[in-house]
Amino acid sequence: MQRATPNQLSEIVDAVAGWQHTGGPVQLHPGDLGWNCSLGEQALVEALRVWTRDGRIVAAGMVDDDSGLIRMGIAPSLDDDAAFAAQLLADLSDPALSAVEARFGKAFRELLSGSGWVADEPWTPLSRDLTEKVDDSGLRIEVIDAHDVQDRLLQDRVAVQRAMFANSTFTVERWRAMAAGPAYRRARCLVGYDGDGNAAATVTVWSAGEGRPGLIEPLGVHKDHRGRGFGRAITLAAAAALRELGSSTATVCTPSGNHGGVAAYVSAGFRQLPDATDFRRPTG
Ligand SMILES: CC(C)(COP(=O)(O)OP(=O)(O)OC[C@H]1O[C@@H](n2cnc3c(N)ncnc32)[C@H](O)[C@@H]1OP(=O)(O)O)[C@@H](O)C(=O)NCCC(=O)NCCS
């Protein structure tokens, strides 16, 4: 295991993108790295750990110091590799790492369970196939990509984010940090406006490249505009945007206790998949 370096960031994003496969579990995605880049590229790099084989990145982990969770992405070629799984587990011996998100990696998951790691909070993965055209959202949608940033749109993007999560610390500066990162090259922010021109909903969508699953992170509706179909509408718009970016499916994972979130995705045609739980380090 190595700590990432700043000049590795693009390579890590590309490696993580290459591990996404249609129909597979929703594991660490370039969008997760991209969203965390809003805290600054340096903070993201400091949070990243990489494993290499023959000079190629074959696994990556993103550490959240506050919660002690490391979110893992593993190359499909190592799914069944027991020796590699043992190396991963040994490398995660630091007790400050109290939980592991390992949604992929059969051998690693089996080893965690077999070593007494227990199920943590349940998350609900959801997925929508993008083969067919997505229904129109009915909202007026404005798109912000890295090359076309209008100040007014950006202010709306940030204002809705802050009004959808009470503890949000999102700012224009943080958006700019996110958009300057390598993952945002294949991402877009959407802002949805109601009939009176109010910015009511927003989402950021992240492609992992043509034919691979794209990720929604985050999505929400302004607290003053909920319960009027905007959650369903912005989800449809997100799916349509990912389809345009070439994604095979639109995927998302939300805490299973977020009943409104799950309901909004299902109402926009997402299939609810069985709960996924993180692994918590055994105590004692
Ligand atoms: C989740 C959220 C997007 C829903 O937005 P909304 O505009 O109220 O949703 P809609 O009015 O479009 O409702 C869509 C569906 O979800 C259901 N729903 C919405 N909120 C719900 C809740 N709290 N509990 C249960 N069902 C709920 C609606 O009944 C509707 O179902 P239907 O289509 O079967 O009638 C909004 O509450 C939000 O922004 N929450 C904070 C951010 C968040 O959790 N984002 C999603 C996870 S990343």
Side-chain angles (χ1 to χ4, degrees):
M1 178 178 79
Q2 295 142 23
R3 285 181 168 267
T5 58
N7 56 11
Q8 267 183 319
L9 194 51
S10 283
E11 190 190 345
I12 298 170
V13 167
D14 287 347
V16 170
W19 304 334
Q20 311 299 320
H21 60 281
T22 308
V26 184
Q27 68 163 339
L28 185 70
H29 188 280
D32 297 310
L33 274 52
W35 177 248
N36 275 33
C37 198
S38 65
L39 298 168
E41 208 163 290
Q42 195 186 336
L44 174 60
V45 169
E46 279 170 16
L48 289 174
R49 309 286 179 269
V50 288
W51 287 260
T52 54
R53 263 200 184 173
D54 304 324
R56 277 189 25 247
I57 297 173
V58 289
M62 185 167 72
V63 176
D64 175 22
D65 282 332
D66 293 338
S67 63
L69 173 72
I70 183 164
R71 305 183 59 191
M72 296 295 300
I74 298 176
S77 59
L78 292 172
D79 190 24
D80 269 332
D81 192 316
F84 184 68
Q87 184 193 334
L88 285 180
L89 189 60
D91 287 341
L92 301 184
S93 60
D94 178 356
L97 294 175
S98 53
V100 181
E101 178 193 290
R103 299 192 180 132
F104 182 76
K106 192 166 167 285
F108 184 45
R109 289 171 55 83
E110 281 173 8
L111 185 60
L112 285 164
S113 300
S115 308
W117 290 62
V118 293
D120 204 12
E121 186 195 4
W123 289 74
T124 299
L126 298 111
S127 174
R128 184 190 154 129
D129 182 83
L130 297 177
T131 314
E132 304 291 330
K133 197 166 174 290
V134 178
D135 286 347
D136 186 72
S137 71
L139 283 182
R140 178 166 69 82
I141 299 288
E142 300 274 358
V143 180
I144 324 178
D145 66 29
H147 307 290
D148 176 23
V149 186
Q150 297 167 31
D151 282 346
R152 177 193 53 81
L153 260 183
L154 189 47
Q155 306 280 356
D156 287 348
R157 168 71 187 84
V158 171
V160 179
Q161 180 77 30
R162 294 184 75 112
M164 71 199 209
F165 290 115
N167 54 357
S168 169
T169 54
F170 204 52
T171 57
V172 166
E173 291 68 36
R174 283 190 50 188
W175 186 90
R176 290 194 191 282
M178 172 179 87
Y184 201 79
R185 284 195 305 255
R186 292 193 286 226
R188 304 274 183 277
C189 284
L190 312 182
V191 183
Y193 292 85
D194 70 8
D196 297 326
N198 299 305
T202 193
V203 64
T204 306
V205 294
W206 306 85
S207 159
E210 190 78 27
R212 298 193 188 119
L215 183 77
I216 290 176
E217 171 63 14
L219 172 147
V221 173
H222 190 297
K223 62 180 172 36
D224 298 340
H225 297 284
R226 294 194 181 150
R228 293 159 56 196
F230 297 147
R232 176 176 184 273
I234 196 72
T235 306
L236 286 173
L242 282 172
R243 188 170 185 269
E244 230 170 78
L245 288 166
S247 301
S248 55
T249 49
T251 62
V252 67
C253 224
T254 194
S256 303
N258 183 0
H259 302 296
V262 172
Y265 291 123
V266 168
S267 109
F270 280 60
R271 204 157 53 88
Q272 183 176 347
L273 303 170
D275 279 0
T277 46
D278 295 340
F279 293 85
R280 178 153 291 281
R281 184 186 294 282
T283 47

